[in-house]
Amino acid sequence: MTESANGGVIDLHGEWHLACADGAHEAAITLPGDVHSALHAAGMIPDPYFGRNEEVVQWVAERDWVIERRVVVPDISGSWYLDIDYLDTVAVVFVNDIPVLSADNCFRRYRPDVSHALQPGENTIRIVFHSSITAGAERQARQPFYIPYSTGNCPIPNGNMLRKPQCHFGWDWNIAIAPLGIYGTLSLKKLDPARIEHVETEQVHHADGRVELKVTATIHSVEPAVVPIHFALDTDRLRLDVGISAGETKVVHVFEIENPRLWWPSGSGEQALYGLTVDLPTETVTRQIGLRTVELITDPDEAGSRFALKVNGREIFCRGANWIPADALFSRSSEEKTTDLLNSAVAAHMNMIRIWGGGFYEADWFYDLCDRLGLMVWQDFMFACNLYPCTEDFLDNVAHEVEYQVKRLSSHASIVIWCGDNELVGALTWFPESRDNRDRYLVAYDRLNRTIEQGVKKTYPQGIWWPSSPASGYLDYGDAWHADGSGDMHYWSVWHENKSFDNYRTVKPRFCSEFGFQSYTSLPVIESFADKADMNIASPVIELHQKNAGGNERIAGTMFRYFRFPKDFANFVYLSQIQQGLAIKTAVEYWRSLKPHCMGTVYWQLNDTWPVASWSSLDYGGSWKAMHYMVRRFFQPVTVAAIPSEDGSSIALSMVNDTLDTVTIDANLFVLTLSGERIPLKSVQGDCGPDAADLLVTLDASEIPADGLLAWSFTVSNGMTGEGHFINGTYKALDLEPSRIETSVTPTIDGAFEVTVTSQGLALFVMLESAIPGRYSDNAFDLSAGESRRIIFKPDTPLAAGTVPEFRIYDLYSCQSAD
C-alpha cells in the first residue's frame, strides 16, 4: 500500500504487508493491530481463544516478523521524523533499508529523525519484530546474575527482561501467547519548524479558592526559530511569539482562575473539566483539566498508620476494582468496548479503578474517560510479580519510560496516586535465588524502585508517590499480605489459602487494594469457546481456560463447604458466580463497617482479557456476572449490612454512609421461612452521620430460627433503598422447599423486554440469563413466596422485530434439586 504526503503529516495507519522473517507466512495486517489477529483473519491460525487453540499458536511468538509498506514523499526538504508509540516490543525500523530506530520498550514514544534516509518519491518503511521469547532469553543470558520470573504465572519465560506487558507471557487469568504489533501512533511527520513534545500542568490552590494553572509546553526544533504559540483555557486565549533554540525549549503560561469549578470523584460532586489547548501553526495538543487537590493521609495511630485519600479537603472512601488490559489481543479491543466496561464500573457505584502493573499504561482517551466519569485512578508502573534487572541499560530504559509516561499522564485529574509496582517486595520471597541471597535482590529492587520514584518526583513533584502495592509504608519491606495495621494490603488468604469467607472478618485493612474469589465465566461465554462435549469442569478445554493452578478444585471445594452440589454443569457455573459474590460481599461489608479505620476496598478484578475462569465481576465481552449485580448493592453509597459477632451469638446491622449529609435509615427486619413466608421481626430507625459507619441495631442470634433466614429491607432519607438476607450457618444446611418460579416476557417500545418473575416459594439468588448479550435492571435477587419482580432486559444490539429472547432462570433451590 502506498500513501502520499499531505500537509507534512503522513498517517501510516491502515494496511501493511506482514511476513514471517523466513518468508514462510504472508498476510495483510491492519495497524494499529497485532500479528496474531492478522494471521487469524488470514486463516493462517485458528482463533486462539477457542478450545485448546492456545496450544497450537505458540509458534507465532517464537518467530521474527516483518511488516512493510511504501509511502510517497514528493518533497523531502526539511526535517522529517517518525512518530511511534506502543511499539511491541523489540523491533528495528528501516527506511529504504537504512536503520532509523532500534526499539525495546512498549511503554516509550519514539520520534527518530529519518531525513537522511528518505528519498524523493516512493520510500519503503520496514519494521522487523524480534521474537520476545528469543530476546528475553538473550537478555537473561547477559545478566550478571539470574533474574527469576514468576513461573506460576508465566509459562513463556523471561518476560521480566523486556519492557512489555508482563501478562503477555501468561498470567493466572491470561492466555500465554506473547503478542506483538503496534497499538498506537504511527506516522511520518515534517518538522515545520517545530513540534510540541510535551504539555504539562501544575495547579496551585490558594486559601481564597483561587487556582493558578501553570502550563508548560516543551517545544522541539532542529534549528532556532520564532514561532507563534497559542494557549487557551476554555474561552481564555493568548498568543505568544516565542524565540526557540535548537533542541528543546520550555514555554510557560499561567492561567488565573478566580472562581474555579472543582473536579470530584463519582458520587462526591461534579466532574468539572476545563478544555486546555496549546497550538503551533502545524499542531494542536488538547487536554481536559480537572481542578482538584489530592492528599494521601498516612498519619500514625493506635493500629499503625492510616491510608486515606483526601480530595479537595475531603476524605473519600474508595470503592473499586482492579483493571487489567481490555483484551489479550489489541485488535480485539476498542474504545467502545472499554467505555462500556468503565461505565459498568460507575454503574456499580465505583469511584476508583487500580490500573494494575502487569499490563499497559492506557491510552490518553482512557484517562480522559476516567476524568469524565469521576473514576479515580490508582496508577501502577508496569512491573508485576517478578524480579527485574538493575543493570545500567535497563534502569536507563526505565527512567525514559517513567519520564515520558508521567509527562503524558500527569495532567489527568483522575490519577490520584502513582505506585511503583505490583507485589515486587513479596516476590523477593517467592524464588530460591532471592530467598538464598535476599540482600542482592533487595538492593536490585531498591535500585529499580528508586529510579521510578526519582523519575516521578523530578517530573511531577506534586504527584502522590507510593512505593509498591501492597506496602506497609515507605521503605517498609514487610509482609503487607497479612499485616493490616498500615498502608495498603493485598488479602488473598481466603482464595489462595482456602480459608472460609468468615476469615475476611479476621483482618482490618487500612486500604485493601487486592482481594478476590474466582468464578466461572457465564455459560453463554463458555459456549463461545467450548463444544457441548467439553461442558465439564474437568474437561481439557475447561481446564485450559482456568489459569490458576488448583482453581477449579478450589471453586468446587468451596461449594462443598457452603452449598449442596449443583445438579449439572450450567448450575455449577451459576453457583460459582453466586459464591464469588458472597465472598467479596463478606469482605466489603465488614471492611466498610470499619470506616474510617478502613478507607478503601478495591477488589480483584473488574474485567477479563479473554474468556476464562477468573476473579472478574464482568465477563469477557462486558456482560455482568452475578457478582457485579451484587457489587452494585454492596457498594451503594448508603447501605445496611449484617455483621455477625466472632462467636456467632449476635448479629449487628451496620449502617454505612459515604455521602456528605447525615441520613436517616428506616429498616424492616423479618424472618424468611423455608417456605418463603415473611414473619415481621422489628422495625428500626437510625441516623448515620456524613462519611461515617455506625450501628443500626444488634440482634441476638437466637431471634433467628435455625430453619430460617434474617432478611431486611431499608429506605434512606436521600431516596436510596436496599434489601438483604443473612444466614447464620451454611446454605447446604437448609432444606429448601420448591421455589416454583414463573416468568412472563413482554417487549417494550424501546427495544427492551420486561420480564416478570414470580415465585410461589422461597427463591434465593434468582438469576436470569439469555444467550443474547445484554444488561438486566437487576439480577441475583431474592423473592419470598408470592412476590413478583419486574426486570428490564436491554439487549446490547437491537433484535429483529418479533424476536423474543429465551431466558434461563436459576435459583438456589432449582440449582441443587433434580425436580
Side-chain angles (χ1 to χ4, degrees):
M1 183 174 177
T2 302
E3 187 75 29
S4 295
N6 179 25
V9 177
I10 305 174
D11 183 359
L12 298 177
H13 290 160
E15 188 174 305
W16 287 57
H17 177 263
L18 168 70
C20 195
D22 61 10
H25 306 277
E26 295 186 53
I29 183 171
T30 300
L31 299 181
D34 65 85
V35 170
H36 286 79
S37 295
L39 295 175
H40 178 231
M44 293 182 177
I45 61 170
D47 180 356
Y49 296 179
F50 188 84
R52 296 169 65 184
N53 288 341
E54 176 185 3
E55 299 169 341
V56 301
V57 302
Q58 292 299 310
W59 63 272
V60 176
E62 296 165 0
R63 309 289 181 91
D64 291 351
W65 293 89
V66 181
I67 63 171
E68 188 174 291
R69 73 177 290 171
R70 291 180 298 280
V71 59
V72 174
V73 186
D75 178 6
I76 62 168
S77 61
S79 179
W80 290 81
Y81 66 99
L82 279 172
D83 198 356
I84 308 176
D85 61 12
Y86 292 99
L87 174 57
D88 186 11
T89 286
V90 181
V92 180
V93 182
F94 298 85
V95 175
N96 299 322
D97 294 326
I98 298 171
V100 296
L101 172 66
S102 181
D104 68 345
N105 191 324
C106 187
F107 309 128
R108 288 174 63 179
R109 179 182 65 190
Y110 295 102
R111 289 181 157 181
D113 183 276
V114 297
S115 307
H116 62 290
L118 288 177
Q119 58 192 25
E122 189 170 86
N123 293 260
T124 300
I125 301 176
R126 186 171 80 256
I127 303 177
V128 179
F129 293 91
H130 292 295
S131 164
S132 295
I133 298 173
T134 303
E138 290 172 348
R139 291 175 186 220
Q140 182 71 267
R142 293 202 299 267
Q143 295 302 312
F145 51 88
Y146 180 70
I147 312 295
Y149 64 93
S150 180
T151 54
N153 281 333
C154 302
I156 299 176
N158 301 315
N160 56 334
M161 296 294 104
L162 302 178
R163 297 309 302 134
K164 169 181 173 62
Q166 298 296 275
C167 66
H168 278 181
F169 300 92
W171 217 260
D172 56 6
W173 38 260
N174 199 32
I175 189 170
I177 54 177
L180 62 158
I182 296 179
Y183 315 138
T185 303
L186 182 57
S187 56
L188 179 62
K189 297 180 178 178
K190 186 175 184 178
L191 201 60
D192 188 21
R195 68 177 182 237
I196 301 172
E197 203 75 341
H198 304 286
V199 172
E200 302 163 80
T201 61
E202 179 182 347
Q203 300 176 21
V204 178
H205 291 249
H206 293 277
D208 61 3
R210 204 168 33 90
V211 176
E212 291 175 356
L213 181 70
K214 177 183 175 184
V215 182
T216 303
T218 303
I219 310 300
H220 174 85
S221 178
V222 174
E223 298 176 348
V226 176
V227 294
I229 301 176
H230 290 92
F231 290 87
L233 187 69
D234 282 359
T235 57
D236 187 358
R237 183 172 166 86
L238 171 83
R239 171 176 169 149
L240 298 174
D241 291 305
V242 178
I244 59 174
S245 54
E248 290 191 350
T249 302
K250 292 185 183 296
V251 184
V252 177
H253 178 67
V254 178
F255 289 98
E256 297 264 358
I257 303 151
E258 294 293 334
N259 298 296
R261 294 175 296 120
L262 296 182
W263 180 94
W264 288 92
S266 177
S268 296
E270 181 190 3
Q271 286 76 58
L273 294 167
Y274 293 76
L276 172 68
T277 63
V278 178
D279 64 62
L280 299 174
T282 56
E283 182 180 15
T284 300
V285 171
T286 62
R287 295 279 187 272
Q288 56 182 21
I289 304 298
L291 302 175
R292 53 94 178 115
T293 61
V294 181
E295 302 167 73
L296 178 62
I297 309 301
T298 56
D299 298 342
D301 60 13
E302 289 181 4
S305 59
R306 302 198 66 214
F307 192 100
L309 282 162
K310 184 183 280 189
V311 179
N312 300 328
R314 178 191 166 196
E315 288 189 16
I316 305 287
F317 190 98
C318 299
R319 307 180 302 265
N322 283 264
W323 172 267
I324 60 176
D327 207 292
L329 290 171
F330 173 83
S331 296
R332 299 190 181 200
S333 67
S334 70
E335 189 170 342
E336 180 185 18
K337 291 176 184 176
T338 297
T339 298
D340 180 63
L341 296 172
L342 294 180
N343 278 329
S344 288
V346 174
H349 301 297
M350 295 187 199
N351 60 16
M352 172 174 273
I353 57 167
R354 172 176 174 243
I355 299 181
W356 167 78
F360 285 101
Y361 306 94
E362 294 290 342
D364 293 316
W365 59 260
F366 182 101
Y367 299 94
D368 286 341
L369 182 57
C370 291
D371 293 340
R372 294 195 298 273
L373 292 175
L375 273 174
M376 293 181 286
V377 172
W378 172 308
Q379 178 67 56
D380 280 1
F381 287 88
M382 292 300 120
F383 302 87
C385 298
N386 292 315
L387 305 185
Y388 289 90
C390 64
T391 52
E392 205 169 305
D393 60 333
F394 188 86
L395 295 182
D396 181 67
N397 198 358
V398 169
H400 281 91
E401 167 189 326
V402 171
E403 180 186 21
Y404 166 63
Q405 293 294 348
V406 174
K407 285 182 175 179
R408 178 175 75 94
L409 298 175
S410 58
S411 293
H412 287 282
S414 53
I415 300 179
V416 294
I417 191 167
W418 302 81
C419 178
D421 62 72
N422 176 78
E423 298 188 351
L424 264 58
V425 174
L428 290 165
T429 68
W430 298 349
F431 310 105
E433 295 87 355
S434 53
R435 288 196 297 269
D436 293 344
N437 196 341
R438 180 175 169 86
D439 288 354
R440 165 191 276 177
Y441 290 95
L442 180 59
V443 168
Y445 167 74
D446 187 62
R447 288 180 179 176
L448 171 63
N449 193 253
R450 197 61 60 90
T451 297
I452 302 168
E453 178 182 13
Q454 289 173 347
V456 173
K457 291 184 174 177
K458 177 184 176 184
T459 306
Y460 186 52
Q462 61 271 41
I464 292 173
W465 162 257
W466 188 244
S468 181
S469 185
S472 296
Y474 300 100
L475 294 178
D476 187 327
Y477 299 108
D479 177 9
W481 281 260
H482 299 91
D484 59 355
S486 304
D488 75 311
M489 186 181 199
H490 290 188
Y491 194 65
W492 280 106
S493 294
V494 172
W495 173 256
H496 286 300
E497 298 173 34
N498 205 28
K499 295 191 175 178
S500 71
F501 295 171
D502 292 337
N503 181 262
Y504 282 123
R505 292 191 285 264
T506 67
V507 292
K508 298 180 178 181
R510 313 315 300 263
F511 191 112
C512 201
S513 47
E514 272 193 31
F515 59 102
F517 200 90
Q518 268 202 1
S519 73
Y520 288 99
T521 189
S522 301
L523 189 62
V525 179
I526 294 174
E527 290 170 342
S528 75
F529 69 79
D531 293 325
K532 193 169 184 180
D534 299 317
M535 302 293 178
N536 184 299
I537 60 166
S539 76
V541 167
I542 298 300
E543 288 193 334
L544 188 70
H545 288 249
Q546 163 63 273
K547 294 301 184 181
N548 184 231
N552 288 349
E553 296 95 316
R554 207 162 297 134
I555 291 171
T558 302
M559 276 188 199
F560 278 122
R561 179 183 283 162
Y562 292 110
F563 298 100
R564 301 183 187 189
F565 217 59
K567 63 188 179 185
D568 58 21
F569 179 76
N571 280 284
F572 189 91
V573 171
Y574 153 77
L575 194 55
S576 79
Q577 293 195 5
I578 297 302
Q579 75 175 12
Q580 176 194 30
L582 287 173
I584 303 310
K585 174 175 179 284
T586 302
V588 169
E589 289 184 338
Y590 178 61
W591 295 340
R592 286 187 74 187
S593 78
L594 302 176
K595 178 182 178 177
H597 174 92
C598 175
M599 285 301 291
T601 56
V602 180
Y603 66 81
W604 187 268
Q605 69 215 56
L606 180 66
N607 57 307
D608 274 333
T609 58
W610 74 305
V612 66
S614 85
W615 299 266
S616 70
S617 61
L618 296 175
D619 277 320
Y620 177 69
S623 293
W624 292 21
K625 288 184 180 178
M627 179 169 126
H628 206 79
Y629 291 97
M630 297 164 80
V631 170
R632 185 171 61 185
R633 293 194 279 270
F634 62 65
F635 268 174
Q636 185 171 273
V638 181
T639 192
V640 171
I643 313 290
S645 61
E646 193 172 340
D647 62 3
S649 64
S650 63
I651 304 160
L653 285 184
S654 160
M655 304 180 287
V656 180
N657 174 19
D658 286 349
T659 75
L660 268 176
D661 302 310
T662 297
V663 295
T664 300
I665 295 176
D666 289 285
N668 292 314
L669 281 55
F670 47 91
V671 170
L672 267 179
T673 70
L674 298 187
S675 63
E677 184 185 0
R678 293 159 66 110
I679 302 173
L681 197 57
K682 61 181 68 177
S683 295
V684 292
Q685 185 181 81
D687 292 334
C688 193
D691 271 331
D694 213 337
L695 180 67
L696 178 61
V697 67
T698 301
L699 302 174
D700 194 290
S702 63
E703 296 182 63
I704 314 302
D707 59 349
L709 293 80
L710 170 66
W712 62 90
S713 61
F714 66 89
T715 58
V716 187
S717 53
N718 65 6
M720 294 180 188
T721 62
E723 61 185 15
H725 77 250
F726 175 78
I727 176 171
N728 207 6
T730 62
Y731 290 95
K732 69 181 180 182
L734 299 177
D735 286 321
L736 294 173
E737 298 178 19
S739 46
R740 302 191 302 279
I741 294 175
E742 298 173 354
T743 60
S744 63
V745 182
T746 306
T748 63
I749 56 173
D750 59 356
F753 297 86
E754 181 179 305
V755 186
T756 302
V757 186
T758 305
S759 180
Q760 302 307 315
L762 176 61
L764 299 176
F765 309 117
V766 178
M767 186 85 186
L768 284 72
E769 181 179 88
S770 172
I772 296 171
R775 193 72 37 86
Y776 299 84
S777 58
D778 198 8
N779 229 335
F781 52 86
D782 299 336
L783 293 174
S784 55
E787 187 179 1
S788 292
R789 188 75 59 98
R790 175 178 158 272
I791 304 297
I792 302 298
F793 172 71
K794 187 171 179 57
D796 287 347
T797 53
L799 305 185
T803 303
V804 177
E806 290 187 14
F807 294 98
R808 180 166 188 154
I809 312 296
Y810 301 91
D811 79 298
L812 188 56
Y813 170 80
S814 307
C815 162
Q816 57 195 24
S817 168
D819 290 1

